Amino acid sequence: LCYKIVKTIDLYYQGKIYEASKCFNDCLDKLMFNDIKPYETINDNFVFYRARVANGKQYRKKDLFHIDFISRNLVSTNRYSIPGFPALYLGDSTYVCWEEFNRPFIKDLWFSLFKNTEELNVIKIQRIQDFFQEIDSSKLSDLGKYNYLIRYLLTFPLVLACTIKVREPKGNFKPQYIIPQLLLQYVSRNEEIDGVKFPSTKVDYSKIKQVKAYNYVFPVKTVESSGFCRVLKSKFHMTEPTSIEIEDTLFNPEYTGYVSVDNEDYIPQNTLSLIDDDER
C-alpha cells in the first residue's frame, strides 16, 4: 500500500491522472477492500450536523444539503471533493462544524441536524490515539483485538496519506488532497460503501476530551441535470436550518421565573413562523 500510494502520486505529478486513479483503485481492490473491508457500519438514526455561514442570508433545507447539480460550478476543491463533483459533508457535532469554518462568530452560523434513515458503511480514517482508546475499551477477545490491530496497521498508510495538513492553504493545487480525492472517487463507484469518516485537520485534539469531532463525506451516487442525488435524499432526514438568532427570537421567554402547568400534555397556542414550513 505504501508503494502504491507513492506511485499514484508520482503518476499524478506527471499528469497521468487516469493511470494514477487506476493504480490506486487496483491497489485498494486487491490488497484491502475485497478481503479485510476496513469500514464500519453506522446504525440508522445516528445524529450528524451541517453548518453554513449566514452572510446575511436566511437558509432553507436545500441550502444545507449538497450543492444543487445545476450549481456544480460552485463546487471547489476540498480534501475529499474534486471541483464540480458534489458531496455531502457532515460533522459529528456543531463544534467540529464551527472549527471547519475557522471559528466564525457562532451567531453567523446556520445549522441543520441530519439522521440517516438506514445503515451506512463508511471507510474509517481514524486517529491512532482514538484507535488505541477504542481497542482498550472494547470487549473483544485477545484474538479479536489482534485481528482489529492488524486491520488498522494494514490501512495505516492510507490514514497518514489522508490526514496531512495543507502547507499552502491559498494554493490552487493542494497535493495533500490527491489521495483523499481519489479515495472519494473510489467510494463513489462502490455500491457497498457510502462515504468516509475522517478527523479534522483544524481541531486541536489535545485540547478536547469526550467531544465528538470527526467529519463525514458522502459523495453523490446519482447525477442529474439539476436538483439533488436521489440516493442521498433517501438515506438522510434533515431538519430546517436554524441559527442562534432564530432560536433566541423563537424562544425568548415571555415571563421570568417558572410557570406551573398541571396538564403534562399542555401545548402552547402561541406560534411563530420565521421560516416557511417551520412553525414553532
Side-chain angles (χ1 to χ4, degrees), residues 99 210 223 227:
E99 288 280 16
Q210 302 300 323
V223 177

Side-chain angles (χ1 to χ4, degrees), residues 247-259 266 268-271:
E247 297 302 311
D248 282 347
T249 303
L250 286 170
F251 298 106
N252 186 27
E254 184 176 352
Y255 304 100
T256 58
Y258 295 96
V259 177
Y266 171 76
Q269 298 301 308
N270 53 317
T271 61

Side-chain angles (χ1 to χ4, degrees), residues 45-233:
N45 285 319
F46 187 85
V47 174
F48 306 89
Y49 295 91
R50 180 165 167 79
R52 282 193 68 179
V53 178
N55 293 324
K57 298 180 181 179
Q58 188 176 73
Y59 289 126
R60 300 293 309 280
K61 279 185 177 181
K62 62 183 179 65
D63 299 313
L64 268 85
F65 207 60
H66 71 70
I67 290 180
D68 192 312
F69 286 117
I70 203 170
S71 302
R72 61 168 65 244
N73 61 293
L74 299 177
V75 182
S76 59
T77 185
N78 290 295
R79 180 168 294 271
Y80 287 91
S81 295
I82 59 174
F85 184 67
L88 178 62
Y89 279 86
L90 301 175
D92 259 335
S93 59
T94 53
Y95 162 72
V96 74
C97 294
W98 175 65
E99 288 280 16
E100 288 298 324
F101 280 105
N102 297 314
R103 298 189 171 193
F105 290 117
I106 292 292
K107 66 180 180 63
D108 292 335
L109 287 176
W110 284 65
F111 294 94
S112 276
L113 181 148
F114 285 71
K115 286 186 178 181
N116 52 312
T117 59
E118 59 186 73
E119 289 185 344
L120 301 172
N121 290 324
V122 293
I123 295 174
K124 197 173 181 180
I125 303 299
Q126 187 179 30
R127 297 174 63 248
I128 193 167
Q129 298 90 335
D130 294 333
F131 169 76
F132 285 139
Q133 183 178 356
E134 184 176 290
I135 200 169
D136 285 343
S137 62
S138 74
K139 297 180 180 179
L140 295 172
S141 64
D142 289 343
L143 179 60
K145 289 183 178 181
Y146 174 78
N147 290 333
Y148 196 50
L149 175 62
I150 292 300
R151 189 174 74 170
Y152 185 78
L153 291 176
L154 287 172
T155 60
F156 191 59
L158 184 64
V159 172
L160 291 178
C162 287
T163 53
I164 301 171
K165 197 164 186 177
V166 172
R167 179 179 293 179
E168 300 292 342
K170 295 183 179 180
N172 291 326
F173 169 65
K174 300 177 177 66
Q176 298 83 2
Y177 289 0
I178 293 175
I179 297 302
Q181 289 181 356
L182 290 178
L183 179 60
L184 198 77
Q185 289 181 52
Y186 182 86
V187 171
S188 69
R189 69 179 184 85
N190 192 309
E191 294 182 358
E192 285 189 55
I193 309 172
D194 298 289
V196 180
K197 175 182 179 179
F198 61 99
S200 171
T201 58
K202 298 183 179 181
V203 171
D204 185 350
Y205 287 91
S206 66
K207 295 182 179 179
I208 64 174
K209 186 177 181 180
Q210 302 300 323
V211 176
K212 291 184 175 182
Y214 272 78
N215 292 313
Y216 302 79
V217 58
F218 300 95
V220 296
K221 295 285 189 172
T222 64
V223 177
E224 314 290 342
S225 58
S226 63
F228 304 95
C229 171
R230 297 191 306 273
V231 173
L232 291 183
K233 284 171 63 177

